[in-house]
Amino acid sequence: VRLVRLAYVTLLWPMFKGHASEAIHEVRHKALMAEWDKAMARRKLMDGLREPSRLHESPSAPELHSAIQSESAGPGPHPSNPEEVKLLAQLRSAVDRQIEDLPDYVIMHDIYSYVIRMISGRPARIAVWQKEKEQCDLQNDLEFMTASDTIRAMKPKPPLVYVDDGEIRKLALDSVGGWKNGRYRHLKANRMRLLKKGWVAFMAGRPSPATGARASRERRVGSKDTSRRSSKDR
């Protein structure tokens, strides 16, 4: 049963990954816009304190938004000078470090849970489909008795797992929001625990630098003693 669920997870993974990447990009863009506005407000204030006459020469907020959006989206107006371009690159780097990508283990957790809910909800979907089928059959019988050519087509029986782009997108947006708000702290802590256990086991099998140096020195001393004894025997 688990293999079947994992097969469905593999089927839904690319669609979920694409929506999650778009959501992460949107969240980062909003955070970058906020940081850019703060930086420009600080610069405007400092310029006004140094030279009050330049206070009204600073770009307006819509112009700054247009510059940063065009810089991130592609062609169009860009930040007005190299200093602003450098500042924008620094802000983007800081935002990318602050807002991490959705890790694969969170994607696996959410898609697997979604598949389980979908499979467990199939009886309810079949019950709804059965009622619709009965109504459709009744309507077709009435149309047949009245010699009408109108025949209502019935939807196929609900499958065990279906692909709905809208549901996948909604799930991806919810996952990205939860990752940003710390909903998956327990998954991250468990992941770090497992990785730490493997790392400790790996390092336990390797000699420490001091131990390795001492062992190498002992091997050199031992080889010298052996060569001396062999020369005496000769």
Side-chain angles (χ1 to χ4, degrees):
V1 176
R2 179 174 174 81
L3 291 178
V4 174
R5 294 174 179 172
L6 291 177
Y8 288 127
V9 169
T10 305
L11 174 66
L12 300 176
W13 188 287
M15 189 181 302
F16 185 98
K17 187 78 172 179
H19 289 307
S21 298
E22 294 176 0
I24 287 289
H25 177 75
E26 183 178 353
V27 170
R28 284 175 174 169
H29 183 69
K30 290 180 179 179
L32 182 60
M33 291 291 292
E35 293 298 326
W36 175 262
D37 288 341
K38 292 179 182 178
M40 289 297 101
R42 288 194 297 267
R43 174 174 294 182
K44 184 176 180 180
L45 178 61
M46 296 303 297
D47 290 345
L49 293 176
R50 285 195 295 265
E51 297 183 43
S53 59
R54 294 182 56 189
L55 183 60
H56 301 288
E57 299 178 2
S58 300
S60 60
E63 293 174 350
L64 296 178
H65 280 278
S66 176
I68 188 173
Q69 287 176 351
S70 62
E71 198 279 339
S72 61
H78 294 274
S80 58
N81 54 64
E83 186 179 354
E84 290 185 359
V85 174
K86 183 178 179 181
L87 174 62
L88 187 58
Q90 293 174 352
L91 292 176
R92 175 174 285 108
S93 178
V95 168
D96 290 345
R97 289 194 303 269
Q98 181 182 3
I99 302 176
E100 302 175 345
D101 290 328
L102 197 64
D104 289 346
Y105 60 86
V106 173
I107 297 177
M108 171 64 73
H109 173 270
D110 284 354
I111 299 181
Y112 194 82
S113 302
Y114 175 69
V115 169
I116 291 178
R117 292 195 302 270
M118 195 185 304
I119 293 175
S120 61
R122 187 171 185 250
R125 298 198 303 273
I126 291 179
V128 173
W129 174 83
Q130 190 67 33
K131 291 181 180 179
E132 293 179 354
K133 183 176 183 301
E134 293 174 358
Q135 294 177 359
C136 183
D137 293 341
L138 178 60
Q139 186 67 27
N140 289 336
D141 292 340
L142 293 175
E143 295 290 343
F144 178 77
M145 292 174 62
T146 57
S148 175
D149 295 336
T150 304
I151 302 296
R152 294 180 58 186
M154 185 59 196
K155 297 178 181 179
K157 190 174 182 180
L160 186 64
V161 174
Y162 57 89
V163 178
D164 189 329
D165 186 73
E167 289 188 5
I168 296 296
R169 185 175 187 278
K170 184 178 179 180
L171 179 65
L173 292 176
D174 182 70
S175 300
V176 170
W179 175 250
K180 179 184 175 184
N181 297 329
R183 187 199 307 165
Y184 301 101
R185 285 194 297 266
H186 62 292
L187 294 179
K188 186 174 183 179
N190 185 60
R191 186 75 173 182
M192 296 300 293
R193 180 182 62 83
L194 295 176
L195 293 176
K196 183 178 179 181
K197 184 182 296 185
W199 176 255
V200 170
F202 171 74
M203 293 301 295
R206 301 185 60 186
S208 64
T211 305
R214 185 168 57 253
S216 177
R217 187 165 54 252
E218 291 175 354
R219 284 195 299 270
R220 288 197 302 269
V221 173
S223 62
K224 290 180 180 179
D225 294 341
T226 304
S227 60
R228 290 173 182 173
R229 286 196 298 268
S230 59
S231 60
K232 290 180 180 180
D233 294 340
R234 291 174 188 173

